[in-house]
């Protein structure tokens, strides 16, 4: 994690520092409830959660106790926060995928064709995608890397979930270009997909 920047924040749970753009902001309402502020735009004082896997895996109400030094918080909180965040992330991701759908290559054939393009790309692969599809994509990515072309691969929940995001019944693999105007959108999409996946894994 980065340290020393004026935009850095300290994680309320593990106490590590990172840029606030890499973290989740939480706010406390008048009833002592914690709410995720995904876009970091809600008014009021907030705290930050780093959302790193090692931090989330050990998350509990006990680790959120430092909040009592600044806020009147009604515990227990963590399970509620997690449920709220999963719901908010799902809605935000659906909105983002809907906006980006026309720029997304969907399905193995379209993705393989996209990989012949040398521009940077984000690959979304469902955890239940078939072995043959995964091997084919991995081989293509390896060849791209050997040629010096950037690829980022992100594992997502399931073919059904990716299909829902992209307005299809089922999607095993999809690809998005990450250069130019798309860079910011894809960076956020990658971040939110990662957070969503980590929260679903810890149950």
């Amino acid at each position: 994690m980065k340290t020393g920047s004026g935009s850095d924040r300290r994680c309320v749970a593990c106490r590590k520092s990172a840029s606030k753009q890499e973290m989740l902001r939480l706010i406390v309402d008048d009833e002592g409830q914690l709410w995720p502020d995904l876009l970091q735009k809600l008014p009021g004082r907030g705290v930050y959660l780093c959302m790193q896997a090692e931090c989330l895996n050990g998350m509990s109400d006990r680790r959120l106790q430092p909040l009592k030094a600044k806020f009147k918080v009604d515990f227990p909180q963590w399970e509620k926060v997690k449920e709220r965040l999963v719901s908010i992330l799902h809605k935000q991701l659906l909105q983002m995928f809907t906006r980006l759908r026309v720029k997304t290559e969907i399905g193995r054939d379209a993705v393989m064709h996209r990989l012949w393009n040398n521009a940077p790309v984000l690959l979304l692969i469902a955890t239940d995608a078939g072995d043959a599809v995964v091997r084919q994509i991995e081989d293509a990515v390896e060849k791209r890397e050997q040629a010096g072309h950037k690829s980022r691969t992100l594992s997502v929940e399931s073919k059904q979930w990716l299909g829902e995001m992209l307005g299809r019944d089922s999607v095993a693999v999809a690809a998005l270009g990450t250069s130019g105007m798309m860079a910011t959108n894809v960076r956020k999409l990658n971040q939110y997909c990662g957070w969503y996946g980590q929260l679903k894994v810890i149950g």
Side-chain angles (χ1 to χ4, degrees):
M1 286 191 173
K2 301 173 184 176
T3 58
S5 168
S7 66
D8 281 4
R9 297 293 184 272
R10 190 178 296 277
C11 176
V12 69
C14 69
R15 310 305 296 165
K16 293 181 180 178
S17 295
S19 166
K20 67 179 182 179
Q21 284 76 28
E22 299 174 10
M23 305 177 82
L24 172 70
R25 184 174 185 253
L26 299 171
I27 63 165
V28 183
D29 67 16
D30 293 339
E31 297 179 355
Q33 294 294 307
L34 273 171
W35 291 89
D37 178 16
L38 196 61
L39 303 181
Q40 300 188 6
K41 292 182 178 180
L42 296 177
R45 295 175 63 197
V47 294
Y48 289 80
L49 198 60
C50 74
M51 298 299 291
Q52 297 296 310
E54 59 269 24
C55 184
L56 290 178
N57 286 335
M59 187 55 62
S60 65
D61 285 312
R62 181 184 60 78
R63 296 190 71 188
L64 292 174
Q65 290 299 315
L67 287 169
K68 287 185 174 182
K70 294 183 178 180
F71 308 100
K72 182 179 179 182
V73 183
D74 182 24
F75 284 98
Q77 281 287 338
W78 174 237
E79 289 300 321
K80 297 176 187 176
V81 171
K82 188 167 60 175
E83 289 174 8
R84 290 165 182 162
L85 181 54
V86 167
S87 177
I88 289 169
L89 280 169
H90 189 273
K91 291 176 183 176
Q92 182 68 21
L93 284 166
L94 189 56
Q95 290 176 8
M96 295 179 75
F97 272 110
T98 299
R99 288 199 309 270
L100 298 173
R101 195 174 294 167
V102 296
K103 298 181 180 180
T104 304
E105 308 296 341
I106 301 173
R108 179 180 60 182
D109 292 344
V111 169
M112 289 301 296
H113 182 74
R114 176 65 180 77
L115 289 174
W116 286 107
N117 186 316
N118 295 336
V121 65
L122 171 67
L123 296 165
L124 301 158
I125 303 177
T127 56
D128 55 351
D131 291 342
V133 173
V134 173
R135 280 197 303 270
Q136 191 174 8
I137 298 296
E138 288 177 344
D139 288 346
V141 167
E142 184 177 352
K143 290 176 182 177
R144 276 174 56 92
E145 290 178 351
Q146 289 172 355
H149 307 311
K150 295 181 179 179
S151 307
R152 182 184 300 169
T153 302
L154 182 65
S155 179
V156 297
E157 184 176 352
S158 66
K159 292 187 291 187
Q160 182 179 358
W161 183 87
L162 190 55
E164 178 190 357
M165 293 293 118
L166 293 169
R168 304 286 182 91
D169 289 335
S170 177
V171 175
V173 61
L176 277 162
T178 64
S179 56
M181 298 284 289
M182 289 288 287
T184 300
N185 286 327
V186 173
R187 186 172 65 251
K188 276 297 177 187
L189 187 73
N190 182 60
Q191 181 183 52
Y192 293 161
C193 280
W195 290 359
Y196 184 86
Q198 288 172 167
L199 289 165
K200 296 293 282 188
V201 166
I202 63 176

